[in-house]
Every structure is written in structure tokens, then in C-alpha cells.
Amino acid sequence: IPPPNIFTTLFPDTHAGGATELPLQPRRREKENPIPASEQAAAPAMASGSSRPQILCVSFNQDNSMFSVGTKEGFKIFDARTGRLCNDNKLGGLNVVELWFATNLIAMVGTGEQPSRSPRRLCLFNTITGASKKDLNFRSTILAVRFSRTRLIVVLQDKTFIYDLNSTRILEEIDTVHNPKGLCAFAPNSEWCYLAIPASTSKGSALVYKASEPELICQIDAHESPLAAMAFSSNGMYLATASEKGTMIRVYIVAQATKSHSFRRGAYPSTIYSLSFGPCIDRPDVLAATSSSGSLHMFFLDAARNGRNQTNKLLGSIIPGSKAISDALDPANHHVIHNIAPAETKRYI
């Protein structure tokens, strides 16, 4: 189902004389989406300094069909299934590039190297026309941006904003704990558009909101150390968390705020860079994690669910209260692919 056409309601005053906004179209092929002449002229000069521009951000769209890469030069958009380059724009350094499904609307935040690309300005950009459609300015640096079909989430260091995407009206302004990394998790395809943000700077707690309302629904206390990574399953049923220590990864049922799984990543501390559930819509069967160790860890939720009763019977006769740790000790639930990238190299999944 194509995303709704929001341009006619989102930007009703962008044309004089009552002209009508063109409908929002899916991305076209490369030959139908040329780089504007002004950017083509600037591209050789920008590219001459380096053949491999520094990557500043990477993100997938809401259905994982496309992904964007922000660099010191601009942004690139790829088809995730084929690897085809769909768009290449050299607009200057970008710290944030977020896609709105498979359409020509993106949200981007600059590095500040150019006056028009302030890190405090969110630009809603049309990749077909090559023009900014709406700018939102903030008092501090924008650290993260998230989209759903009807909501826009903007995360600052000490605040999180929930916008109605159609009107760009603020629905909720949340005062948050100090969040210098802009850590958040968002479930754009869930019924309630769940949003999770850190609740503490001293321990691993998360506040979960319904962005659709919006309203706070629960607090999940997951770890003793501060949070380093969070991710929702695609349907919003589960929230996975990892702390700065990085040895344990826990999964919670959001509606009940109860722990469902607990997995041990390793015995030694490691920085968790990203968490991601498998694309299953009903009940995800795998959770993947990347870390500074250079390995990819996969945790199998179905194996943990199916084997939990047998494991609990055995451990229950030996260790009181062992139900909570059975998943973490079962090697059938955990698979590791070692050395997929150099250690300390950030990877996103």
C-alpha cells in the first residue's frame, strides 16, 4: 500500500496564486532523477578531494526496502534488495538522512560546514525536484530523526519532539535525561507507533510512549548500566535493549513491560553499535547485534521459546529462580559470525 500523499496538506502555502502541489511519487529510476545542473557543476570539485567520502550516517527506510548513506559530500540512496544506486546528491556534509518509506521525501540534517546545513535545522527535502519543502529549526543540535506514516520524531540532547507529519504541528515536547547520542527506538509500522527513549543516565531504563496519542505507557528497567542500544520489532511487540557494558541483551514484551528473553553476547564488555529484529511481521524469530568486537551475533527467539520449558526443568532442580537465565545459557539460541569487520568499526543492521 503506497504511503499517503502528504505534500498537499503538509505544504499548502508553498506556492503562490493557489497552485496545486504535485503528488508525492515513488522514487524513479536514476535516469529519471538527474542531479540538478548546479550540483553537477559542484560535484567534480567536491569529489576531487577523496574518492571515498567519509560516511557519517546510515539508515534503512521503514520497510527495509531502501537505505540511505550520509557523507561529507551529501547523500546516496540505494535499493536494499538489488544494491542499485537510486539517488546521489552532493549537497554538503549530512549527519542525518532519513527516508520516508520508498518515496521522494527525506529528512536531513547538516554538519554545519555550510550555512544552509546547520545541525540545528531539519530539512524535509524532495529528492525529485531537488528542493527543500519545509525547514524546522531547533535551539540545539538534532541528534536523531524518525518517520512513520503520520508522525515525525526529532531527538535533541535534552528534548524529544513528536510532530504530526501532515501539519508539522508539535503534539508533544518531552523533557528527557541527558542523551548526547540521541538514543531512541521507534516502531513506525506498529499500531501505536511506539517510541522508546532513555529514562536514566545511571542505569539502563527506557520510557515507552505511544507516539500516535501521544502518551507515556510504561518504564522498562532493563540493565544496571546505562543504555547503549535499543530496537523494536517491526510490529512493536518486542523491545530489545543493550547496556554500555554490552555483555547481556534483553528482550521485553512492550504491552506488559515484562522480560521475554535474556541473551549473553559475551563475557567481556563490548560496545553494542546496533540491534535489529528479523523482518517477520507477526512474531520475530531472530535478533541481530553488532559490536566493537567485530563480530555479528544472532539470537534465535523461536529456539528460546520452544526449548524454555525443558531447560527450566533441568535448571530449576539445580538453581533456584533459573527461569530468567535459561535463554542466556543455551548455546542453541546464539550464533556468532566472527571478524565480519575490523574491531571498533561501526556497523548498522
Side-chain angles (χ1 to χ4, degrees):
I1 300 174
N5 176 6
I6 67 163
F7 271 166
T8 55
T9 54
L10 182 55
F11 313 111
D13 57 349
T14 53
H15 294 287
T20 303
E21 174 62 88
L22 292 174
L24 190 64
Q25 299 291 333
R27 278 187 218 286
R28 303 174 180 176
R29 298 182 181 275
E30 287 178 86
K31 63 181 181 181
E32 298 176 338
N33 187 22
I35 300 174
S38 59
E39 294 172 18
Q40 290 177 347
M46 297 180 68
S48 61
S50 173
S51 59
R52 308 181 80 178
Q54 180 183 354
I55 294 176
L56 302 179
C57 63
V58 178
S59 66
F60 284 83
N61 68 348
Q62 292 76 11
D63 61 5
N64 298 310
S65 64
M66 311 189 81
F67 68 92
S68 61
V69 178
T71 72
K72 284 282 190 179
E73 295 183 355
F75 68 82
K76 297 177 184 288
I77 298 173
F78 297 87
D79 186 314
R81 297 183 177 91
T82 65
R84 180 177 66 89
L85 178 64
C86 301
N87 197 294
D88 186 356
N89 259 297
K90 292 179 170 57
L91 301 173
L94 297 173
N95 282 329
V96 174
V97 180
E98 288 291 327
L99 307 175
W100 192 59
F101 296 87
T103 72
N104 54 293
L105 178 66
I106 69 170
M108 61 185 187
V109 179
T111 60
E113 295 177 1
Q114 298 174 329
S116 61
R117 297 284 173 256
S118 167
R120 295 183 288 109
R121 176 180 298 162
L122 172 63
C123 175
L124 296 177
F125 185 80
N126 187 325
T127 60
I128 290 181
T129 64
S132 172
K133 303 301 296 183
K134 186 78 172 182
D135 287 341
L136 299 174
N137 295 298
F138 298 86
R139 294 183 178 180
S140 61
T141 298
I142 300 166
L143 301 175
V145 177
R146 299 290 185 268
F147 273 131
S148 74
R149 294 187 184 275
T150 59
R151 295 291 178 263
L152 171 65
I153 310 298
V154 181
V155 181
L156 311 182
Q157 188 168 261
D158 300 300
K159 287 184 182 292
T160 297
F161 293 88
I162 301 176
Y163 284 85
D164 175 75
L165 185 56
N166 286 321
S167 62
T168 60
R169 178 173 61 90
I170 296 176
L171 300 177
E172 190 76 14
E173 180 179 337
I174 306 169
D175 291 320
T176 64
V177 299
H178 190 61
N179 185 17
K181 295 180 180 179
L183 180 62
C184 68
F186 191 46
N189 299 316
S190 65
E191 179 181 0
W192 302 109
C193 291
Y194 288 123
L195 168 69
I197 54 178
S200 172
T201 57
S202 60
K203 62 179 182 179
S205 299
L207 296 174
V208 180
Y209 288 82
K210 287 181 181 178
S212 57
E213 299 296 334
E215 65 178 357
L216 175 66
I217 61 170
C218 68
Q219 176 172 321
I220 293 176
D221 299 318
H223 305 269
E224 293 298 322
S225 301
L227 293 171
M230 295 187 291
F232 281 105
S233 59
S234 60
N235 61 4
M237 178 184 295
Y238 294 108
L239 175 67
T241 65
S243 73
E244 291 181 353
K245 188 176 180 182
T247 55
M248 299 294 298
I249 294 174
R250 297 190 169 97
V251 180
Y252 287 79
I253 300 175
V254 175
Q256 304 169 12
T258 57
K259 184 164 59 179
S260 173
H261 300 79
S262 184
F263 300 107
R264 177 170 289 280
R265 183 210 57 82
Y268 298 99
S270 183
T271 301
I272 303 296
Y273 290 137
S274 62
L275 297 170
S276 181
F277 283 94
C280 179
I281 296 176
D282 296 326
R283 298 185 73 181
D285 54 0
V286 64
L287 171 66
T290 63
S291 72
S292 57
S293 67
S295 300
L296 172 68
H297 296 258
M298 292 180 289
F299 305 96
F300 298 98
L301 280 71
D302 277 342
R305 280 190 287 260
N306 296 336
R308 184 176 297 147
N309 291 336
Q310 291 81 352
T311 307
N312 285 339
K313 287 180 180 179
L314 175 61
L315 289 177
S317 63
I318 304 172
I319 308 173
S322 60
K323 182 177 180 179
I325 65 172
S326 60
D327 291 353
L329 298 179
D330 190 348
N333 303 333
H334 185 192
H335 182 71
V336 185
I337 303 177
H338 294 284
N339 303 319
I340 64 167
E344 307 300 333
T345 300
K346 289 187 177 181
R347 298 169 310 287
Y348 298 93
I349 48 179

